Amino acid sequence: MDKLVVTGGRPLVGRVRISGAKNAALPLMAACLLTRGKNRLTNVPGLRDVRTMGRLLDTLGAKNHTRKDRIYIDTAEARGEEAPYELVKTMRASVLALGPLVARRGRARVSLPGGCAIGERPIDQHLKGLEAMGTKIVLEEGYVVAEAKRLKGAEISLDLVTVTGTENLVMAACLAKGTSVIKNAAREPEVVDLCQALINAGARISGAGTATITVEGVDELSPLDHRVMPDRIEAGTYMVAAGITRGELTITEAPLEHLSAVVGKLKEAGVRFQQTPKGLVVSARRAPKPVNLITGPYPGFPTDLQAQLMALMALNNGSAVVQETIFENRFMHVPELRRLGADIEVTGSTAVVKGVRQLKGAKVMATDLRASACLVLAALAAEGDTHISRVYHLDRGYEKIDQKLGAAGAKVRRASEPAPGKK
Ligand code: EPZ
């Protein structure tokens, strides 16, 4: 297993290019299962999760190969109907195969994803919507077995906002007979990106980006040919990197229009933003001011940037309150931040972060994707060396993060470490 060794205390100065969005690429890859032909996605990030989704598509008979940031997915011979536990347990987003398989093949056997570090993460809303469209759902041996001769359009009111739930139901509705209306739909930009790609392939979707998405089913979709949108969570992570190291980063391809809540909070904390012909220059000169934040569905503050903002707040010149409303266990980074010297008190889903003057390097452990990004950020500001173990979490969602940080002056190196319990 790899670890990252970060020597902190150096302001980041340089350029960073934002890659394609993981959480847009994954549903877009699954959406190719709705088609029969040669699909192409460009600006695809080189991530562990993208490779896992590629393996899942392979097992379903959708041959695919990647060339640089392009992935070619040929679904002409795709006959598979099963997403096996071995793959789904490593990546919950595999559940995105469910909607397309039921819609295209009339049958799907998808392993229940199981929980993960940040929460139980059920898929009851995905199943509720598919049942409303006429799917017979049976749970057996940890698998969802879903069957429907032909899905029929339905009106679905989701009990809560779910990103992949909305995506699964939009994809299923594309090939249903009749019109579907999905209420309380997720408004995330990644949902809009998926809908745009589907519309370009012949789907009839309106309301993407609003809480009510209407889909008029069609018989067939042409293959997808789409450029994945830039990753707003990666962009927000590098904005915090500039702020926490009191450096100056020129960030290119940052989807600023999708980051209003994040930029607003960072500006409140004293981080400065300047649009220039070379890109967005993000800088800071002094300790961040305390800002309070509450995560929420888009366009609220994204839960996927909560841990990163908390790293910045560890050094604030007062006291900040962070509330997590989306996942029930998304403070796994707190005990690790404390090992670096942070002063954080957690009560339920609220963390009070009393700023400290300085963090000190230590051995810490990554627990999930965004918590590992938070530890990298804190390590960049900490005095001395920080060893971050289980860095495979990071590789799931951040393309070449050590290279990108290194190019901006960070001292980051990857090292191997013995598996737990071995010398
Ligand atoms: C997507 O996960 C993202 N993943 C997550 O990013 C992100 O944190 C999350 O949306 C929220 O924005 C992808 O897009 C691949 P949800 P998703 O369904 O769709 C509950 C990352 O770091 N819920 O919007 O799985 C659920 O437990 C990842 O890139 C139900 O109760 O999240 C959670 O509390 C982490 N029943 C809340 O809703 C359901 O049927 C929101 O979950 C579905 C969800």
Side-chain angles (χ1 to χ4, degrees), residues 135-371:
T135 311
K136 184 169 147 297
I137 304 251
V138 173
L139 300 186
E140 63 176 32
E141 296 157 19
Y143 279 76
V144 171
V145 181
E147 287 176 345
K149 278 213 177 2
R150 169 99 197 250
L151 291 174
K152 54 185 193 323
E155 173 154 320
I156 301 156
S157 288
L158 293 170
D159 300 341
L160 47 84
V161 175
T162 158
V163 175
T164 50
T166 300
E167 291 165 343
N168 244 334
L169 297 176
V170 164
M171 291 190 283
C174 282
L175 296 182
K177 188 167 179 45
T179 300
S180 299
V181 180
I182 302 165
K183 296 192 166 172
N184 203 14
R187 298 159 58 188
E188 270 68 4
E190 295 75 21
V191 176
V192 178
D193 206 36
L194 171 68
C195 289
Q196 195 49 61
L198 290 167
I199 290 165
N200 296 345
R204 294 207 195 114
I205 303 171
S206 58
T210 75
T212 302
I213 300 178
T214 303
V215 185
E216 205 186 311
V218 294
D219 293 336
E220 194 76 22
L221 287 183
S222 344
L224 269 60
D225 188 357
H226 186 74
R227 185 179 194 280
V228 177
M229 62 174 276
D231 194 320
R232 61 192 170 101
I233 305 302
E234 184 195 21
T237 304
Y238 284 106
M239 288 175 182
V240 174
I244 203 168
T245 61
R246 297 176 208 175
E248 182 174 291
L249 281 182
T250 301
I251 302 177
T252 57
E253 304 277 328
L256 216 47
E257 67 281 14
H258 299 147
L259 283 160
S260 316
V262 177
V263 171
K265 283 296 167 189
L266 288 173
K267 280 182 174 168
E268 231 184 285
V271 179
R272 294 190 303 204
F273 294 81
Q274 199 192 357
Q275 273 293 18
T276 74
K278 291 205 183 71
L280 177 71
V281 177
V282 185
S283 61
R285 289 279 172 276
R286 57 182 64 83
K289 296 181 200 126
V291 293
N292 300 331
L293 73 91
I294 303 180
T295 63
Y298 192 86
F301 190 95
T303 173
D304 291 350
L305 278 166
Q306 175 258 107
Q308 296 90 317
L309 246 291
M310 194 185 285
L312 179 66
M313 286 299 106
L315 290 164
N316 84 76
N317 55 19
S319 173
V321 178
V322 175
Q323 281 179 258
E324 170 58 52
T325 70
I326 305 289
F327 291 109
E328 65 269 29
N329 187 30
R330 205 168 199 179
F331 283 152
M332 306 275 282
H333 44 286
V334 171
E336 303 304 313
L337 283 174
R338 286 194 190 114
R339 289 179 53 77
L340 297 169
D343 177 355
I344 306 172
E345 283 305 315
V346 171
T347 315
S349 60
T350 300
V352 178
V353 188
K354 281 198 191 62
V356 295
R357 233 185 43 71
Q358 178 67 51
L359 294 173
K360 290 221 173 0
K363 284 187 175 16
V364 290
M365 185 179 79
T367 51
D368 60 87
L369 168 55
R370 305 303 174 182

